[in-house]
Amino acid sequence: MCVQCLMLSLCVCVCVCVCVCVCVCVCCSFFLSCESIGKNRAQAATEFLQELNSDVSGNFVEESPDKLLDNDPEFFHRFSLVIGVQLPESTCQRLGAVLWSAGVPFLVCRTYGLVGYMRLVVKEHTVVESHPDNALEDLRLDQPFTELRNHISSYHLDSMDKKDHSHTPWIIVIAKYLEKWYNEHNCQLPKNYKEKEVFRQLIRDGIRKNENGAPEEEENFDEAIKNVNTALNPTKISSAVDDIFNCVQCENITSQTSAFWMMARGVRDFVQNEGNGSLPVRGTIPDMIADSDKFINLQNVYREKALQDAAVVSKHIQSHLQAVGKPSESISEQDIKLFCKSAAFLRVVRCRSLAEEYSTDTFQKDTITSCMDSPDSEMVLYLMLRSVDRFYQQHSRYPGVYNYQVEEDISKLKLCVNSLLQEHGLSVNVKDDYVHEFCRYGTAEPHTVASFLGGAAAQEAIKLITHQFVPFNNTFIYNAMSQTSATFQL
Amino acid sequence: MLKLREKKRRRIEELTEKMAVDVGSTGDWDGRWSHVQKFLERSGPFTHPDFEASEETLQFLLDTCKILVIGAGGLGCELLKNLALSGFRHIHVVDMDTIDVSNLNRQFLFRSKDVGRPKADVAADFVNSRVPGCHVVPHFKKIQDFDESFYRQFHIIVCGLDSIIARRWMNGMLLSLLVYEDGVLDPSSIIPLIDGGTEGFKGNARVILPGMTACIDCTLELYPPQINFPMCTIASMPRLPEHCIEYVRILQWPKEKPFGDGVALDGDNPEHIQWVFQKSLERAAEFNITGVTYRLTQGVIKRIIPAVASTNAVIAAACATEVFKIATSAYIPLNNYLVFNDVDGLYTYTFEAERKDNCSACSQVPQKLQFPPSAKLQEVLEYLTENASLQMKSPAITATLEGKNKTLYLQTVASIEERTRPNLCKTLKELGLADGQELAVADVTTPQTVLFKLNFTS
């Protein structure tokens, strides 16, 4: 069901389904109609979904995933992404194994009553453009490069006329007052709140005064004061980026090395040499009160330095490409520039395989146990999903589908919960209420829960395909009863 | 709330008695609502304390419950689909817009052939034909075109709006429906308001029980201020391509009237955008600014906020789940604010927004205005618009002077604006206002006049 919500956003889709549309499907599916009853579900859904976007190429296969896994597992190799929806555990595991060895990302989606579940399985997913929400600027005020230093020294605040003084970019203002501060503080940056407060006052005192001794309106100085907090952060490489540089893929460059790791190596070489421990300059500055000339000139100082640094990185990359016998055009200048600009925000996501998650040797015992310290944590919903799968294995059906089954299935499901916990040596408490609730669900797929998960999954799929923004890692649980969610790494 | 629930349940009983339903005659096939039924006909450990498993609740949903959806855009399309597939059959939808080609990437009830038609009409047609038995009634109108008698007929109202002003108006309307008996709120006069909002990859969903929980105005400060560039930057000191575009839009267009006298800049007219684009390039060239593109030009002029189908799906789903919970008492509703962001993984945060003791919309506390008698009316006007808790748009101020109702200032009617403009430079004393005087303020952000008490400070 939620697959249809997913399809609303995706470009190319192949629906694989052996099921025939039954009345129940139609009631909770928007892309099936009464006339669909009796037809193959994949076929019917594909037809309706194609209405949404004429540029989308949609196909369907009338076959069960299990049969395909038996007869033609290579069918799945051709896709950039495979999304599995409401698959029984055994099918999921089989498909997961095939896709893991083929290196195809696998997104598992499931709704069960008022619970939504997603699991991402991808060996390594690299992101250059992560688009972080609150990115700090790269201003280098703590270690101005030569051109910036020269540009700053071209300003003489005290001798400027009123107009120029109040239209000087705050970056310059802070830089100038930092020089004053260094003289009195042994070239040490203001370190703590107290020192920053004194530094702010230093700038405040620099605001020009009128004939009556009252401070003039100098918005650029107000901006400088506001930005002291972040502008003086020491330029440093985040641990996430450091980890990337320390990866074996970054160290061992071969002809199989992807563009991402090639470029990462190029930046690492820069950092260790010309960059003196810093990344290539990003090259952007935020907008600020200033006259056009002063702003553009300052912006150009950063821009040109960024171009320079990117050119050096490019040289490093070229030498690696050469060393492994690949042509220099393999990686475009445009890509290198973008990589350098995004260097501070590179991300790599690695998910454990389903096999690792399920094996009693390698499952995440500590994570599960500590989450269950709060017995109503979303982790209990994960354990319940595992338990209903166990129930299905044993009884070839899910619990509580028919009203008469609800009562008796509660004790049967509880046995499954206990055996699951025992096998994994988990001494956690799963409240009876959850066992009851999952029997009550009886595999109902309320539309709104499916729609929530479909929307969430569609966006993760887009992240995986575009390599922009960061996908979750690796288990997402949505609780529609409490409207809460959690992400676990299992 | 218990009283309300009881009254509702009594209402269900009465109405089901009146309308003996024959399942067959409504075209419901066997098992059609089985997914929904599991939540209504089975008892469970997490249900609302007032919940009673019963077959009547489904009938209430199908035959009686009346929902109003405000907006038939990104959120509205999703909401209509969600409600229709959850068993709600009596749905009204209000939207004042017509379909634009840029809507088609996410407002999936519309196709290219529908461009130009009213959103409400097309949305209703689509849902009614796709979901047999569902009866969506469209209203190609503004929310302000309706009065209390319209809104009073609904059990629950759910909003998928794109404007804070409209939300506040809706909020005010539902507050005005509340009935107090001897200072005690009559719970059956409460119409729950579910509000959803999205912007790019962020969204929120909230449940508002007017008169009981935090209302829109209680949390006004949560909304970030809209970015408008200062005039001096636009006029003489541009630094960004956006400044250049705003220069052409605000200053050059009115001056040069490129398409004739009185022809306003139309963001949907490619010729207009092309003109602005060219002029913006020229302006940018003067200042050595790079980055002006056709797309940026369009984005700035139309104030385009990026919209993504998936965020709308998520938020509308959360909202519809709450509508279901409240209509059926199946579970305790969200209490009361959900925030969602999927820029980096998926993040949700659920918290209880608190009522503001002196909220200008929902508290019974009279609003105060503290000014010296020498203050000019202009200052009062600025306070009403700039204060973070009030954020009025174009307030009209009236006062009772010498037994007569006098308009001190009103912006929205040109002739009255001209007549009352000189009052802005007069002091409160000069205008004849006294300490303790009541001022009545009307504004687009509320359907009801807000009363302020004027306190003179020394």
Side-chain angles (χ1 to χ4, degrees):
Chain A
M1 196 296 106
C2 59
V3 73
Q4 295 173 8
C5 301
L6 264 171
M7 297 310 183
L8 280 180
S9 323
L10 302 181
C11 261
V12 178
C13 52
V14 177
C15 292
V16 175
C17 186
V18 71
C19 307
V20 162
C21 293
V22 288
C23 24
V24 168
C25 303
V26 172
C27 78
C28 53
S29 301
F30 201 69
F31 292 94
L32 296 173
S33 76
C34 299
E35 290 86 54
S36 310
I37 295 180
K39 273 187 166 164
N40 172 268
R41 196 162 63 175
Q43 177 177 9
T46 306
E47 283 163 11
F48 276 112
L49 289 164
Q50 299 225 243
E51 291 172 28
L52 293 173
N53 187 339
S54 54
D55 292 331
V56 172
S57 141
N59 285 294
F60 64 92
V61 172
E62 215 174 307
E63 189 58 273
S64 84
D66 277 307
K67 271 270 164 58
L68 278 171
L69 286 164
D70 288 335
N71 302 330
D72 182 23
E74 253 130 73
F75 167 81
F76 297 102
H77 291 194
R78 75 189 74 163
F79 299 101
S80 329
L81 170 67
V82 171
I83 306 173
V85 184
Q86 306 290 71
L87 298 175
E89 186 184 302
S90 53
T91 314
C92 208
Q93 292 286 332
R94 289 182 69 197
L95 186 50
V98 166
L99 297 174
W100 183 262
S101 44
V104 175
F106 184 29
L107 180 61
V108 180
C109 299
R110 176 178 200 184
T111 59
Y112 200 96
L114 290 176
V115 176
Y117 164 88
M118 280 202 293
R119 169 61 154 103
L120 176 62
V121 193
V122 59
K123 266 189 196 144
E124 179 185 281
H125 177 82
T126 58
V127 182
V128 174
E129 294 178 88
S130 58
H131 304 288
D133 252 338
N134 295 307
L136 287 175
E137 302 286 344
D138 183 25
L139 303 176
R140 305 292 166 112
L141 284 171
D142 61 327
Q143 38 170 80
F145 46 92
T146 311
E147 295 85 344
L148 179 58
R149 209 191 297 271
N150 292 343
H151 188 73
I152 293 167
S153 54
S154 71
Y155 280 85
H156 305 282
L157 286 180
D158 297 334
S159 58
M160 285 170 120
D161 71 23
K162 202 162 110 172
K163 185 143 191 243
D164 281 332
H165 192 262
S166 58
H167 289 90
T168 296
W170 66 253
I171 291 178
I172 303 287
V173 172
I174 290 189
K176 284 299 196 187
Y177 282 89
L178 195 57
E179 278 170 17
K180 278 210 176 99
W181 175 275
Y182 278 161
N183 286 337
E184 294 156 28
H185 290 83
N186 198 19
C187 295
Q188 297 287 316
L189 280 171
K191 284 190 196 48
N192 49 38
Y193 177 78
K194 217 165 145 196
E195 290 192 350
K196 283 186 181 173
E197 205 29 61
V198 177
F199 185 67
R200 272 189 280 265
Q201 191 55 45
L202 198 64
I203 298 177
R204 210 169 279 127
D205 292 339
I207 296 177
R208 292 268 175 89
K209 301 202 173 40
N210 62 19
E211 323 74 60
N212 307 323
E216 299 270 29
E217 178 106 25
E218 299 207 279
E219 275 185 270
N220 60 330
F221 272 69
D222 294 338
E223 280 185 340
I225 292 165
K226 239 200 301 207
N227 282 285
V228 160
N229 238 350
T230 47
L232 298 180
N233 284 344
T235 302
K236 101 189 224 305
I237 299 182
S238 75
S239 55
V241 177
D242 247 339
D243 289 344
I244 290 174
F245 290 154
N246 293 332
C247 282
V248 64
Q249 294 94 321
C250 199
E251 180 61 43
N252 301 339
I253 303 295
T254 71
S255 56
Q256 306 304 311
T257 300
S258 68
F260 179 89
W261 291 109
M262 261 308 176
M263 291 191 282
R265 178 57 180 270
V267 173
R268 189 183 95 175
D269 291 345
F270 174 91
V271 170
Q272 288 169 352
N273 296 288
E274 300 89 350
N276 290 314
S278 296
L279 293 169
V281 165
R282 196 177 311 157
T284 57
I285 58 172
D287 189 27
M288 58 192 74
I289 299 289
D291 64 54
S292 313
D293 277 343
K294 292 193 181 64
F295 181 83
I296 302 291
N297 290 337
L298 179 61
Q299 191 181 55
N300 285 339
V301 169
Y302 282 92
R303 265 190 194 162
E304 273 148 32
K305 179 68 165 120
L307 285 173
Q308 252 181 53
D309 287 355
V312 175
V313 169
S314 186
K315 280 219 181 69
H316 285 293
I317 294 172
Q318 293 312 320
S319 68
H320 286 291
L321 283 172
Q322 235 175 38
V324 298
K326 290 182 104 175
S328 49
E329 303 82 58
S330 325
I331 301 180
S332 74
E333 287 305 310
Q334 201 184 36
D335 285 348
I336 296 173
K337 281 197 187 115
L338 180 61
F339 196 91
C340 288
K341 191 170 171 199
S342 316
F345 311 119
L346 304 171
R347 297 282 294 275
V348 178
V349 172
R350 290 190 185 90
C351 303
R352 290 183 1 128
S353 69
L354 288 176
E356 288 173 275
E357 175 187 343
Y358 279 69
S359 152
T360 45
D361 293 325
T362 55
F363 80 101
Q364 292 283 35
K365 187 170 184 177
D366 291 339
T367 305
I368 296 175
T369 312
S370 63
C371 286
M372 287 302 289
D373 277 344
S374 332
D376 298 305
S377 144
E378 279 77 15
M379 184 58 80
V380 75
L381 303 174
Y382 169 76
L383 293 173
M384 284 315 306
L385 288 172
R386 291 285 301 266
S387 303
V388 297
D389 282 342
R390 195 163 270 244
F391 188 105
Y392 184 79
Q393 260 169 19
Q394 284 175 23
H395 303 276
S396 300
R397 63 177 180 84
Y398 288 100
V401 175
Y402 296 100
N403 286 343
Y404 73 84
Q405 293 171 328
V406 180
E407 208 52 55
E408 51 182 70
D409 282 350
I410 291 175
S411 41
K412 292 200 180 100
L413 182 57
K414 184 148 189 195
L415 287 176
C416 295
V417 174
N418 290 339
S419 70
L420 176 76
L421 297 179
Q422 227 173 39
E423 264 176 50
H424 290 77
L426 286 165
S427 47
V428 298
N429 175 33
V430 173
K431 288 198 230 168
D432 282 345
D433 282 347
Y434 289 102
V435 182
H436 181 176
E437 184 72 359
F438 269 69
C439 278
R440 179 181 186 244
Y441 287 159
T443 71
E445 292 175 38
H447 179 82
T448 56
V449 182
S451 194
F452 186 104
L453 200 73
Q459 197 51 42
E460 296 309 302
I462 291 170
K463 289 180 191 175
L464 290 162
I465 294 166
T466 59
H467 287 265
Q468 294 200 36
F469 299 92
V470 184
F472 72 108
N473 184 2
N474 55 35
T475 301
F476 174 77
I477 308 250
Y478 166 62
N479 181 349
M481 293 185 281
S482 56
Q483 297 282 25
T484 54
S485 73
T487 301
F488 305 118
Q489 221 169 341
L490 296 175
Chain B
M1 272 314 278
L2 290 172
K3 237 185 176 176
L4 167 67
R5 296 288 154 226
E6 248 187 83
K7 271 197 171 168
K8 207 167 245 176
R9 236 171 340 130
R10 259 186 266 141
R11 213 185 334 189
I12 299 172
E13 283 168 33
E14 283 168 53
L15 287 162
T16 20
E17 272 165 44
K18 279 189 210 162
M19 305 165 65
V21 177
D22 174 18
V23 172
S25 70
T26 54
D28 276 337
W29 52 90
D30 222 21
R32 183 177 186 190
W33 301 112
S34 64
H35 292 270
V36 171
Q37 279 167 300
K38 293 200 167 86
F39 295 97
L40 303 180
E41 295 171 14
R42 296 180 175 187
S43 62
F46 297 112
T47 56
H48 194 286
D50 293 341
F51 177 75
E52 262 179 36
S54 151
E55 287 175 24
E56 290 167 358
T57 321
L58 177 62
Q59 292 315 126
F60 170 70
L61 278 189
L62 293 171
D63 305 324
T64 318
C65 192
K66 236 167 151 180
I67 308 289
L68 175 63
V69 175
I70 311 227
L75 283 169
C77 287
E78 290 278 349
L79 284 168
L80 289 170
K81 159 183 76 78
N82 293 345
L83 293 171
L85 291 180
S86 299
F88 295 93
R89 290 182 140 157
H90 299 281
I91 305 171
H92 286 235
V93 61
V94 177
D95 194 308
M96 62 187 203
D97 271 338
T98 55
I99 298 164
D100 178 62
V101 66
S102 66
N103 301 146
L104 301 181
N105 78 320
R106 64 202 180 282
Q107 297 173 24
F108 58 89
L109 300 178
F110 314 141
R111 303 282 175 267
S112 344
K113 61 174 171 59
D114 300 318
V115 172
R117 284 184 62 198
K119 289 188 180 183
D121 293 346
V122 179
D125 284 345
F126 195 116
V127 175
N128 290 337
S129 59
R130 186 58 64 86
V131 185
C134 189
H135 187 55
V136 179
V137 177
H139 300 277
F140 175 36
K141 290 225 160 76
K142 296 202 291 288
I143 50 174
Q144 293 87 352
D145 292 337
F146 297 103
D147 64 17
E148 317 84 58
S149 60
F150 175 75
Y151 293 106
R152 212 175 258 129
Q153 62 179 304
F154 298 102
H155 290 100
I156 301 170
I157 297 181
V158 57
C159 290
L161 288 165
D162 59 357
S163 127
I164 297 172
I165 294 176
R167 280 183 175 86
R168 292 177 69 185
W169 192 93
M170 207 52 236
N171 184 60
M173 167 53 73
L174 294 188
L175 287 168
S176 74
L177 297 179
L178 296 176
V179 172
Y180 289 85
E181 282 160 28
D182 298 321
V184 177
L185 177 57
D186 172 12
S188 68
S189 65
I190 299 175
I191 298 180
L193 174 66
I194 318 288
D195 179 60
T198 64
E199 192 172 314
F201 298 110
K202 300 186 185 146
N204 58 71
R206 58 192 299 188
V207 172
I208 295 171
L209 301 171
M212 285 182 65
T213 63
C215 78
I216 302 277
D217 282 47
C218 290
T219 55
L220 210 50
E221 291 100 8
L222 281 181
Y223 292 106
Q226 287 187 296
I227 300 177
N228 281 311
F229 305 117
M231 263 321 275
C232 55
T233 301
I234 296 175
S236 48
M237 250 175 270
R239 297 174 298 268
L240 302 178
E242 287 87 339
H243 300 159
C244 303
I245 298 166
E246 286 286 76
Y247 172 83
V248 176
R249 177 181 79 88
I250 297 173
L251 296 171
Q252 227 175 323
W253 178 284
K255 194 164 155 204
E256 291 182 36
K257 305 183 213 221
F259 290 85
D261 240 327
V263 176
L265 173 51
D266 177 5
D268 293 316
N269 185 330
E271 282 180 49
H272 288 200
I273 304 277
Q274 186 62 238
W275 187 89
V276 174
F277 174 47
Q278 290 306 322
K279 293 292 174 184
S280 302
L281 282 173
E282 286 167 26
R283 172 92 175 152
E286 261 183 73
F287 293 89
N288 294 312
I289 296 172
T290 58
V292 174
T293 60
Y294 184 90
R295 215 173 99 186
L296 184 67
T297 305
Q298 204 174 27
V300 170
I301 290 181
K302 292 178 81 169
R303 295 286 190 264
I304 292 178
I305 299 169
V308 177
S310 54
T311 319
N312 284 332
V314 166
I315 294 299
C319 288
T321 297
E322 293 310 306
V323 175
F324 182 83
K325 285 181 193 169
I326 292 174
T328 62
S329 292
Y331 289 88
I332 298 172
L334 167 67
N335 184 18
N336 55 41
Y337 204 115
L338 165 72
V339 170
F340 173 83
N341 182 345
D342 64 355
V343 165
D344 185 344
L346 299 115
Y347 170 77
T348 65
Y349 176 59
T350 310
F351 69 101
E352 184 180 341
E354 285 179 358
R355 280 189 86 177
K356 218 152 129 219
D357 292 328
N358 62 344
C359 175
S360 58
C362 77
S363 77
Q364 306 280 294
V365 171
Q367 298 298 300
K368 288 205 194 85
L369 285 174
Q370 320 241 79
F371 286 93
S374 56
K376 304 213 172 75
L377 187 64
Q378 174 75 43
E379 290 171 53
V380 176
L381 193 75
E382 277 166 12
Y383 173 77
L384 292 172
T385 51
E386 285 163 24
N387 177 276
S389 321
L390 294 174
Q391 289 188 48
M392 294 192 163
K393 294 299 155 196
S394 45
I397 311 172
T398 56
T400 309
L401 289 167
E402 291 157 11
K404 290 203 216 115
N405 205 18
K406 187 173 174 198
T407 305
L408 296 175
Y409 183 66
L410 189 146
Q411 252 179 299
T412 48
V413 179
S415 56
I416 304 179
E417 197 280 325
E418 222 180 301
R419 179 170 60 77
T420 55
R421 202 186 306 152
N423 287 343
L424 291 176
C425 304
K426 295 197 183 140
T427 66
L428 302 179
K429 189 163 176 210
E430 280 170 351
L431 289 167
L433 298 170
D435 186 31
Q437 172 123 32
E438 239 179 34
L439 294 178
V441 181
D443 186 51
V444 289
T445 51
T446 163
Q448 281 189 303
T449 315
V450 183
L451 290 175
F452 287 86
K453 195 158 181 194
L454 182 60
N455 285 338
F456 279 158
T457 58
S458 46

